[in-house]
Amino acid sequence: MALVTAERTKKAPAPVRPRPRRRPRRPSAGRTSWLYLLPALVVLGGLLVYPIYQLGLISFLEYTQAQVSGGEPTSFQGFGNYTALFSDPQFWQVLLATVLFAAACVVTTLAVGCALAVLLTRVRAVPRLALMLAALGAWATPAVTGSTVWVLLFDPDFGPVNRLLGLGDFSWTYGRYSAFALVLFEVVWCSFPFVMVTVYAGIKAIPSEVLEAAALDGASQWRIWRSVMAPMLRPILVVVTIQSIIWDFKVFTQIYVMTNGGGIAGQNLVLNVYAYQKAFASSQYSLGAAIGVVMLLILLAVTLVHLRLLRRQGEDL
Amino acid sequence: MTSVRIRRPRRPGRLAAEAAVLLVAAVVAFPLYWMVLSAFKPAGEIQSTHPRPWTLSPSLDSFRRVFEQQEFGRYFLNSLIVAGTVVLASALIAFLAATAVTRFRFRFRTTLLVMFLVAQMVPIEALTIPLFFLMRDFGQLNTLGSLILPHIAFSLPFAIWMLRGFVKAVPEALEEQAAIDGASRSRFLWQILFPLVFPGLVATSVFSFISTWNDFLFAKSFLISDTSQSTLPMALLVFFKPDENDWGGIMAGSTVMTIPVLVFFVLVQRRLVSGLGGAVKD
């Protein structure tokens, strides 16, 4: 578009013949673009922006079963809900668990995804197709069904994994860390394919001469990845990292299904499940909303980092 | 490029790599294999403490139980309606919006783009509470609409952002040419631009389909009393029992639930890979 405009201004000083007929259309461009945007803006405004406003509002009110059913008037609490939340040691424990669990998921997913993408470039078509198909299957598996299958695989009585590893009737969901580990396996299993396929597509786009030259210069595989491929794949890596952070930070289904609503005595709660339990299980909607606001702010911070990275890469918006 | 690589004297290394890849493929596929296997095992065999990686007497009992015990077919249809509506609606709306932000210059364009990017990161799960009250106020609780509407909103920002790359890739000259040939703007939009960005629409629809088909939280929170409006994830939970899980039923239900997504993936996989390439190149 910029190119076209420049061309036009260049032509402007010497108008030999009347302007082409597409000229009169330009003033309407503003109106047309808003017309095209209207459906998107209505949906996003009504179902994303307004609920965010409502979320913030509820987090400052007293809003429990009594207010929902209309029995009692809602009252403004100021930061009361946040004070209550922040003075609850369980909240800090859940927050810490959420961040550490998401970080472990992201790091493992990226490591597995990238390693396999590199490996895929070094094998012939048949093994590559086998892994691609398996990965596509894992990717396509709905979170609920993936969760149920992994629970069965690690079942202390009927699961094949314990038998294979000789663990006897060790219960994975009983201990806090083993339960988190089990969920982590499932999360990595269903989210590494996105990383692998995307990074693989990116590697294929790197001119092979560059890699050949590095190999001829005697660079090790690790060195080639670190000094040649990773810098060239940076935009892709940023995208998959950010996506993974966003997905893994708000895991709900896996935790809920695999640890039966947050584990024994809530030992496996993450923010999302915690907020759900507060709001819908114990009707403390305002506390749930306050947790939601905390999540929103954390992910907003991630987004700002993403935007800065995009800017630095010179992405034109 | 491949011919050069094949001739390089690195055979043992490559064989090791191939063995590793095949092993990983087997590990990755194993849970799916176990799911289908367990769905076909007769009831007694699943409860065996010596699980066998095959079955001697495959049976359809678990599937029969799934379809008989509850209105599973109906839930299946509900899930299809929800995911289908979300995919179509968000693709259409996102196409118009992506065209607007890519093809036209107007005030607040950059602001909008940044807003779409930020909207992508909004944890929609955190909005369950306000959406619950919104759906209640509009009488949408216990209807499929309570799943469809939020999921359209949820899919849009990512779809717009991804489609933007595809719309950008269509040369401007094409539009100029169409205008000179007397095509109206809407004719250009539907007859020229739409078919050209169709692969991009397919790739984005994969993401909206999966996130909607997977939805568990909204179904659990919004479809509370009218079970005839349930979707598949809810149907599965019936087989979890406090005393003894019905693993056969769970695995049969899971298998049925996974099939449509697998079919969808197989149909679009080529477009998906090229679509991902297109999105990240941008």
Side-chain angles (χ1 to χ4, degrees):
Chain A
M1 204 61 164
L3 209 119
V4 177
T5 334
E7 224 170 87
R8 251 188 219 133
T9 29
K10 240 186 274 163
K11 272 186 203 153
V16 186
R17 57 183 87 163
R19 290 186 174 282
R21 63 202 139 106
R22 72 190 115 101
R23 192 75 182 89
R25 242 188 243 197
R26 289 206 52 84
S28 72
R31 233 179 305 144
T32 317
S33 47
W34 288 110
L35 202 66
Y36 285 7
L37 281 164
L38 190 67
L41 294 181
V42 168
V43 172
L44 289 176
L47 293 156
L48 211 64
V49 179
Y50 179 69
I52 291 175
Y53 159 76
Q54 281 279 313
L55 182 78
L57 189 66
I58 295 173
S59 76
F60 287 109
L61 299 175
E62 188 190 358
Y63 215 61
T64 59
Q65 195 52 46
Q67 283 80 19
V68 172
S69 55
E72 274 177 45
T74 52
S75 61
F76 188 69
Q77 293 290 305
F79 282 93
N81 293 317
Y82 291 95
T83 329
L85 191 65
F86 294 158
S87 57
D88 182 356
Q90 198 192 8
F91 166 75
W92 294 105
Q93 192 207 327
V94 172
L95 179 67
L96 183 70
T98 309
V99 172
L100 291 180
F101 176 70
C105 287
V106 170
V107 170
T108 318
T109 307
L110 287 176
V112 171
C114 290
L116 289 177
V118 173
L119 205 57
L120 273 186
T121 59
R122 309 187 52 201
V123 299
R124 278 170 295 191
V126 174
R128 189 167 62 227
L129 192 69
L131 182 53
M132 278 284 193
L133 282 179
L136 227 50
W139 192 358
T141 305
V144 176
T145 65
S147 303
T148 60
V149 179
W150 278 80
V151 170
L152 175 59
L153 285 175
F154 286 76
D155 188 275
D157 298 318
F158 318 125
V161 173
N162 277 13
R163 189 134 299 274
L164 212 67
L165 299 180
L167 286 173
D169 58 357
F170 173 74
S171 169
W172 288 78
T173 48
Y174 188 73
R176 184 170 192 228
Y177 295 105
S178 59
F180 267 129
L182 177 58
V183 181
L184 180 135
F185 295 151
E186 202 282 337
V187 169
V188 171
W189 176 70
C190 67
S191 51
F192 91 86
F194 168 70
V195 177
M196 186 187 82
V197 172
T198 312
V199 172
Y200 176 74
I203 295 177
K204 293 308 270 183
I206 296 177
S208 59
E209 298 81 35
V210 178
L211 301 178
E212 293 288 329
L216 283 177
D217 288 347
S220 69
Q221 199 60 40
W222 170 245
R223 188 67 207 269
I224 293 179
W225 165 257
R226 207 173 53 88
S227 310
V228 184
M229 278 150 92
M232 294 184 89
L233 293 174
R234 226 180 85 103
I236 292 180
L237 292 176
V238 169
V239 170
V240 294
T241 309
I242 300 282
Q243 281 298 345
S244 302
I245 293 174
I246 294 166
W247 283 335
D248 295 347
F249 189 77
K250 44 184 211 185
V251 161
F252 176 86
T253 310
Q254 282 92 343
I255 292 274
Y256 196 91
V257 174
M258 298 178 79
T259 71
N260 198 8
I264 297 157
Q267 61 180 3
N268 294 110
L269 283 174
V270 290
L271 280 181
N272 237 332
V273 187
Y274 189 51
Y276 175 85
Q277 301 286 26
K278 282 269 184 244
F280 291 97
S282 44
S283 293
Q284 293 174 293
Y285 295 100
S286 21
L287 273 185
I291 301 168
V293 169
V294 171
M295 281 183 63
L296 206 63
L297 290 177
I298 294 176
L299 282 175
L300 196 67
V302 175
T303 311
L304 291 180
V305 174
H306 185 196
L307 272 173
R308 289 200 60 173
L309 286 173
L310 281 180
R311 280 273 155 79
R312 208 177 301 161
Q313 277 172 16
E315 164 101 359
D316 75 302
L317 286 172
Chain B
M1 169 183 128
T2 30
S3 62
V4 177
R5 202 165 287 177
I6 281 166
R7 236 172 282 144
R8 310 196 89 243
R10 216 194 266 147
R11 281 217 129 234
R14 199 184 60 196
L15 280 180
E18 285 177 346
V21 164
L22 285 175
L23 184 71
V24 173
V27 171
V28 171
F30 187 72
L32 287 175
Y33 168 72
W34 200 260
M35 173 176 84
V36 178
L37 174 76
S38 306
F40 281 106
K41 275 183 177 177
E45 210 180 311
I46 299 187
Q47 316 291 53
S48 153
T49 48
H50 291 265
R52 263 192 316 226
W54 65 83
T55 179
L56 299 176
S57 44
S59 114
L60 287 173
D61 279 355
S62 298
F63 288 98
R64 206 166 295 135
R65 210 159 54 251
V66 162
F67 279 98
E68 269 168 14
Q69 240 181 29
Q70 359 159 285
E71 302 173 273
F72 201 82
R74 174 154 203 175
Y75 299 158
F76 193 89
L77 191 67
N78 284 346
S79 273
L80 275 183
I81 292 172
V82 171
T85 314
V86 169
V87 164
L88 291 181
S90 61
L92 201 66
I93 300 174
F95 170 62
L96 287 174
T99 308
V101 291
T102 321
R103 293 312 236 209
F104 305 135
R105 305 260 136 191
F106 54 94
R107 280 186 74 188
F108 307 120
R109 198 187 64 98
T110 314
T111 322
L112 262 183
L113 271 172
V114 173
M115 277 174 58
F116 288 145
L117 188 71
V118 174
Q120 241 182 85
M121 320 298 182
V122 172
I124 197 168
E125 293 85 351
L127 300 183
T128 316
I129 297 165
L131 281 171
F132 175 81
F133 294 118
L134 193 67
M135 292 303 150
R136 186 196 61 177
D137 295 345
F138 280 89
Q140 295 293 313
L141 282 187
N142 297 316
T143 71
L144 297 183
S146 68
L147 304 185
I148 293 174
L149 290 168
H151 274 292
I152 294 176
F154 180 45
S155 312
L156 270 182
F158 183 71
I160 294 173
W161 198 254
M162 195 161 170
L163 270 179
R164 193 176 140 253
F166 287 88
V167 179
K168 241 186 186 174
V170 175
E172 300 272 352
L174 218 57
E175 189 168 359
E176 303 274 313
Q177 192 56 48
I180 290 168
D181 291 345
S184 69
R185 190 167 260 149
S186 67
R187 201 166 147 171
F188 167 77
L189 191 74
W190 296 113
Q191 297 199 339
I192 300 171
L193 198 57
F194 187 78
L196 282 174
V197 300
F198 192 73
L201 283 168
V202 172
T204 55
S205 66
V206 170
F207 289 90
S208 46
F209 184 84
I210 290 192
S211 68
T212 313
W213 190 262
N214 274 354
D215 172 76
F216 174 65
L217 178 57
F218 284 0
K220 199 167 167 47
S221 313
F222 302 160
L223 307 174
I224 29 181
S225 53
D226 187 357
T227 49
S228 74
Q229 297 297 305
S230 267
T231 49
L232 283 177
M234 302 305 295
L236 269 191
L237 293 188
V238 177
F239 294 96
F240 281 97
K241 292 171 186 134
D243 42 333
E244 179 93 83
N245 290 337
D246 177 0
W247 281 115
I250 297 171
M251 289 304 121
S254 295
T255 306
V256 175
M257 190 177 164
T258 307
I259 288 169
V261 202
L262 273 178
V263 169
F264 190 68
F265 254 77
V266 169
L267 287 178
V268 304
Q269 51 107 358
R270 199 157 294 175
R271 295 241 155 110
L272 173 68
V273 175
S274 70
L276 281 176
V280 288
K281 240 181 274 155
D282 173 54

